[in-house]
Amino acid sequence: DAAMKTLRFETIGATTVLVHARQLPAAGDWQSFIDHCMSQVGISDQALVFADVALSAAQRRQVQEVHRAGGTRRVAVVTDSTLTRVIVNAMNWLSNTHRAFARHEIAAAFEHLALSGDERRQVVSFVRQCARELDLPEIEAALRSEPPER
């Protein structure tokens, strides 16, 4: 949704892809994302997140509810934020599904999610578009430097 200023999301295959802007998600944008995830139960069972922001405790609880409802298998979080990595690691202790990757490790995140070549191409295209719309040139640059396929 072009009206969303703080995040973009789409489900590609079995993977929900989320790209955060540099600020915390606006309440309406966040609720749209949670609603989308709940509508994808049975379709999407993993997630790829690009974020250098930390979620609130309430938002983390909502994410956990989505994971329980959807039976999430794997989550790859691409971030260069130390705080976000700490939170992702803490979530992993509880669920054993989350793994954090630095921006220069995007190919490893794709491997972690076992994305096919076609899914990788779709994800790269979508995330590049989001990076342009949300003014995230560092993500766009990282996608240029990481080949989408290994």
Side-chain angles (χ1 to χ4, degrees):
D1 182 343
M4 289 197 179
K5 302 287 186 222
T6 59
L7 54 86
R8 300 280 193 286
F9 54 85
E10 183 171 310
T11 298
I12 298 170
T15 306
T16 297
V17 181
L18 172 64
V19 182
H20 284 267
R22 284 188 191 86
Q23 70 238 40
L24 290 173
D29 292 356
W30 181 255
Q31 191 58 54
S32 293
F33 169 66
I34 293 297
D35 292 347
H36 173 81
C37 290
M38 294 308 279
S39 77
Q40 297 300 300
V41 168
I43 299 168
S44 173
D45 65 357
Q46 61 183 24
L48 174 61
V49 179
F50 288 82
D52 282 333
V53 297
L55 299 178
S56 70
Q59 289 168 328
R60 289 193 304 274
R61 280 192 299 278
Q62 286 179 301
V63 168
Q64 289 172 334
E65 289 168 21
V66 165
H67 291 330
R68 273 194 296 278
T72 303
R73 291 181 302 126
R74 286 183 290 254
V75 177
V77 178
V78 178
T79 181
D80 280 346
S81 163
T82 302
L83 176 60
T84 302
R85 282 181 198 233
V86 167
I87 291 168
V88 166
N89 288 335
M91 291 177 82
N92 192 53
W93 294 332
L94 299 172
S95 66
N96 200 29
T97 58
H98 291 72
R99 190 159 159 215
F101 298 87
R103 271 196 298 269
H104 68 273
E105 299 174 314
I106 292 172
F110 290 168
E111 291 294 323
H112 175 67
L113 297 173
L115 297 180
S116 71
D118 187 50
E119 288 168 328
R120 290 174 190 223
R121 284 186 289 281
Q122 290 178 59
V123 166
V124 167
S125 175
F126 174 70
V127 174
R128 280 183 179 152
Q129 174 188 337
C130 295
R132 284 190 295 275
E133 292 170 356
L134 295 171
D135 188 28
L136 300 167
E138 63 283 352
I139 291 176
E140 205 172 354
L143 287 167
R144 277 196 300 274
S145 67
E146 287 281 350
E149 296 180 60
R150 273 202 170 158

